[in-house]
Amino acid sequence: MEQGLSYAAAFLVGLLGGVHCVGMCGGIVGALSFGLAASRRSDPRAMLPLLAAYNLGRIASYGLAGLLAGGLGMLLASSLPVWYAQRALLLLAGLFMLGLGLYLGGWWFGLGRIERLGGALWRRIEPLARRWLPVRSASQALVLGTLWGWVPCGLVYSVLVWALSSGNPLRGAGLMLAFGLGTVPNLLFMGFAAGSLAAWLRRRGVRQLAGGLVAGFGLFTLWQAW
């Protein structure tokens, strides 16, 4: 049950943090239609396969990153006595869930500093990603989404540290996949039906409620560590 709550919290972070994702990746999603005829760009049925392929590739990258992070967490935990390893992982997870909750609620915006950590990696990936532009097929969008899944993003990196703290490759992948699925509504339907959704998600009360729930789960995890 506890693991199910973790996945639900990760999904909630992706959904409520989706407004941030639109700001970070909105231009990227717009680039998917750059090489298409105007008639195709304005047809949701023509755009949907490209957007679906892009998001599939992006979420697959998240899952791989979570798998690697969870594996690294398992290796780090194995170097400590079991009791201390469990406490350390719970402490790390609780702190980052608390930070994510404060971010979602609009009470703290320190996640932006974490984005600088991925700058060096992205400088190597970006030239390769640009080779797939303009996008004219779903297969191109899939590759592009896979590459752009590594865009520096404080929200993604924070959930990735949460995946590391799980101390398990499959759980780490599950957390990142749940987070990725939460970001889909804003990015998949951007330009179609996301306008009203984004407006609802920007409501102060909605964000504070979601942030309070995630932060509360983080505090519960810290209590378990203590």
Side-chain angles (χ1 to χ4, degrees), residues 20 30 34 41 63 72 75 83 93 106-107 128 168 185 189:
H20 171 83
F34 179 75
R41 288 200 300 268
L72 177 60
L75 289 176
W83 189 89
W107 300 301
L128 179 61
N168 182 292
F189 299 112

Side-chain angles (χ1 to χ4, degrees), residues 47-131:
M47 287 298 300
L48 192 58
L50 297 182
L51 292 172
Y54 166 78
N55 281 284
L56 179 62
R58 182 176 59 85
I59 294 173
S61 289
Y62 290 169
L64 174 60
L67 186 76
L68 295 175
L72 177 60
M74 185 170 63
L75 289 176
L76 293 175
S78 66
S79 64
L80 298 172
V82 174
W83 189 89
Y84 290 104
Q86 290 176 337
R87 302 280 83 73
L89 292 175
L90 282 172
L91 179 63
L92 185 62
L95 287 173
F96 269 85
M97 277 187 280
L98 180 60
L100 285 167
L102 293 175
Y103 168 79
L104 290 180
W107 300 301
W108 179 70
F109 298 97
L111 294 184
R113 301 170 188 170
I114 303 177
E115 291 175 4
R116 302 190 189 100
L117 299 176
L121 175 64
W122 177 240
R123 281 194 292 272
R124 295 179 179 274
I125 296 176
E126 184 182 20
L128 179 61
R130 290 187 180 278
R131 295 178 186 176

Side-chain angles (χ1 to χ4, degrees), residues 93-95 97-98 212-225:
L95 287 173
M97 277 187 280
L98 180 60
L213 289 172
V214 175
F217 191 47
L219 289 173
F220 174 72
T221 304
L222 288 174
W223 177 80
Q224 285 184 308

Side-chain angles (χ1 to χ4, degrees), residues 124-144:
R124 295 179 179 274
I125 296 176
E126 184 182 20
L128 179 61
R130 290 187 180 278
R131 295 178 186 176
W132 294 88
L133 291 173
V135 175
R136 294 188 173 89
S137 67
S139 59
Q140 283 181 279
L142 179 66
V143 174
L144 200 59

